[in-house]
């Protein structure tokens, strides 16, 4: 049984991500933890200026609203999907989202976090919304980010760009293997280099990756003299992929990409679900 966390702020964006999650694992036994966190806006400023009773009343009201909305959401998913494979646990917490997720990863032995993401628009366009960025940066658990308005499609083709600088383990690839096995997906492993051949270490990592994914339908590609965003976009012009996966390692393209304020200059936009796996978990 997979343990999957579904953070929600009760927006349509987060509800869409929950729908995606329940569709994706429709035939799998899963326990879904539906999480809502809250901190009153006035809390930080007024806490020291107000009586404990006043703050207690404020927190009680917000907690009750959170619990009521969680119960409504649980009722919605049970009525819509009526899936005996799925169990639900509701969590309402007076905490920041990333702090609470960090605790739950260990407490609930989480396999995956699935959350909606909605970047800003205009000149300051970003790849992910703030909550998603903070979660990916801080939490040691795979995160599947669902773009705003993306409705479920079977992930028959999955793109996996990599630089072969990671000593891959079965844990890194667990969610990828699970999804690929369910949908008989083809995994397109895309290596982007700076006009040079693989060195010995990179070749070793590539061969290990090949063995770890030996049961999957996969194909290796190599592209030189391109930036990774360009290579991804060019690949998608010839092969429509339903999911993008990367392993986040220090000092790699992915680590830098999350924190660029302006990414439209490099033409990379999140249009399909994005599975991000930390290298150090």
């Amino acid at each position: 049984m997979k343990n999957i966390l579904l953070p929600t702020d009760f927006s349509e964006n987060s509800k869409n991500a929950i729908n995606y999650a329940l569709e994706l694992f429709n035939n799998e036994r899963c326990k879904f933890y539906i999480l809502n966190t809250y901190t009153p806006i006035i809390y930080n400023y007024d806490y020291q200026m107000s009586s404990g009773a006043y703050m207690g009343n404020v927190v009680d009201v917000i907690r009750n609203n959170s619990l009521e909305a969680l119960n409504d959401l649980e009722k919605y998913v049970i009525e819509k999907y009526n899936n005996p494979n799925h169990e639900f646990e509701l969590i309402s917490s007076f905490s920041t989202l990333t702090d609470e997720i960090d605790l739950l990863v260990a407490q609930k032995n989480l396999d995956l976090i699935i959350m909606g993401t909605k970047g800003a628009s205009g000149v300051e366009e970003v790849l992910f919304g703030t909550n998603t960025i903070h979660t990916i940066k801080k939490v040691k658990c795979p995160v599947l980010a669902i773009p705003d308005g993306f409705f479920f499609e079977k992930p028959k083709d999955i793109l996996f760009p990599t630089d072969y600088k990671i000593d891959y383990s079965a844990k890194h690839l667990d969610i990828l293997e699970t999804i690929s096995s369910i949908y008989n997906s083809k995994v397109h492993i895309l290596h982007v280099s700076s006009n040079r051949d693989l060195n010995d270490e990179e070749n070793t990592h590539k061969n290990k990756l090949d063995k770890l994914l030996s049961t999957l339908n996969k194909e290796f590609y190599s592209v030189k003299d391109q930036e990774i965003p360009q290579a991804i976009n060019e690949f998608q012009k010839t092969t429509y992929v339903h999911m993008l996966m990367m392993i986040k390692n220090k000092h790699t393209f992915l680590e830098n990409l999350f924190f660029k304020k302006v990414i439209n200059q490099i033409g990379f936009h999140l249009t399909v679900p994005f599975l991000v796996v930390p290298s150090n978990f």
Side-chain angles (χ1 to χ4, degrees):
M1 177 182 285
K2 292 292 184 188
N3 295 317
I4 299 173
L5 182 67
L6 305 175
T8 182
D9 59 3
F10 309 117
S11 65
E12 285 302 312
N13 184 31
S14 62
K15 188 175 181 181
N16 182 62
I18 291 172
N19 285 327
Y20 182 95
L22 300 183
E23 293 276 6
L24 181 67
F25 293 105
N26 179 56
N27 295 315
E28 302 300 305
R29 290 186 63 242
C30 299
K31 182 161 186 178
F32 292 102
Y33 298 89
I34 305 178
L35 168 68
N36 175 247
T37 59
Y38 56 89
T39 50
I41 294 173
I42 64 170
Y43 178 77
N44 291 331
Y45 176 77
D46 281 356
Y47 180 73
Q48 304 204 10
M49 305 294 295
S50 306
S51 68
Y54 171 74
M55 282 307 304
N57 290 337
V58 171
V59 172
D60 285 346
V61 169
I62 297 175
R63 179 188 298 114
N64 290 337
N65 289 341
S66 171
L67 289 170
E68 183 178 350
L70 282 170
N71 283 314
D72 288 344
L73 183 56
E74 182 184 34
K75 182 179 179 181
Y76 159 79
V77 296
I78 289 174
E79 288 180 352
K80 180 173 182 177
Y81 294 99
N82 190 27
N83 192 334
N85 290 319
H86 295 167
E87 300 176 22
F88 299 95
E89 181 175 323
L90 307 181
I91 302 172
S92 176
S93 178
F94 181 22
S95 179
T96 64
L97 179 63
T98 51
D99 285 346
E100 186 65 20
I101 291 177
D102 209 27
L103 290 173
L104 291 173
V105 166
Q107 289 179 0
K108 306 298 185 180
N109 192 27
L110 296 180
D111 298 294
L112 180 64
I113 301 161
I114 301 180
M115 60 194 302
T117 184
K118 187 173 184 178
S121 59
V123 177
E124 295 270 312
E125 184 173 9
V126 295
L127 180 60
F128 292 124
T130 303
N131 283 337
T132 314
I133 290 175
H134 289 168
T135 301
I136 290 171
K137 183 179 179 182
K138 180 176 180 180
V139 176
K140 294 182 179 180
C141 180
V143 175
L144 181 56
I146 311 301
D148 188 36
F150 185 92
F151 298 105
F152 178 75
E153 297 176 345
K154 292 181 179 180
K156 303 297 289 184
D157 288 275
I158 301 174
L159 180 58
F160 179 11
T162 180
D163 55 13
Y164 299 138
K165 295 185 184 300
I166 296 166
D167 186 12
Y168 305 99
S169 69
K171 194 172 183 180
H172 289 139
L173 305 168
D174 177 65
I175 295 298
L176 175 65
E177 285 197 284
T178 296
I179 294 172
S180 300
S181 297
I182 294 171
Y183 293 99
N184 191 28
S185 310
K186 183 171 184 179
V187 180
H188 304 270
I189 301 167
L190 178 65
H191 175 252
V192 183
S193 67
S194 302
N195 198 27
R196 65 169 177 81
D197 295 329
L198 298 180
N199 60 35
D200 289 344
E201 182 181 53
E202 291 164 347
N203 265 314
T204 298
H205 292 164
K206 179 185 177 182
N207 292 334
K208 185 175 182 181
L209 179 63
D210 192 13
K211 290 179 182 178
L212 287 168
L213 298 179
S214 60
T215 62
L216 301 186
N217 178 15
K218 63 186 181 298
E219 186 170 351
F220 288 86
Y221 308 81
S222 183
V223 176
K224 296 182 179 180
D225 290 332
Q226 286 187 13
E227 296 289 337
I228 289 182
Q230 181 187 359
I232 292 172
N233 289 336
E234 289 297 318
F235 187 90
Q236 288 181 303
K237 288 179 182 178
T238 58
T239 304
Y240 177 76
V241 298
H242 308 90
M243 185 177 293
L244 179 65
M245 180 221 173
M246 289 188 187
I247 297 177
K248 183 178 75 71
N249 194 23
K250 267 190 173 182
H251 310 304
T252 62
F253 155 78
L254 187 57
E255 179 79 5
N256 294 330
L257 178 62
F258 289 139
F259 308 106
K260 283 182 176 290
K261 286 189 176 180
V262 181
I263 66 154
N264 56 331
Q265 294 177 355
I266 57 175
F268 186 72
H269 304 274
L270 183 64
T271 58
V272 297
F274 197 172
L275 176 61
V276 181
V277 178
S279 62
N280 59 343
F281 81 113

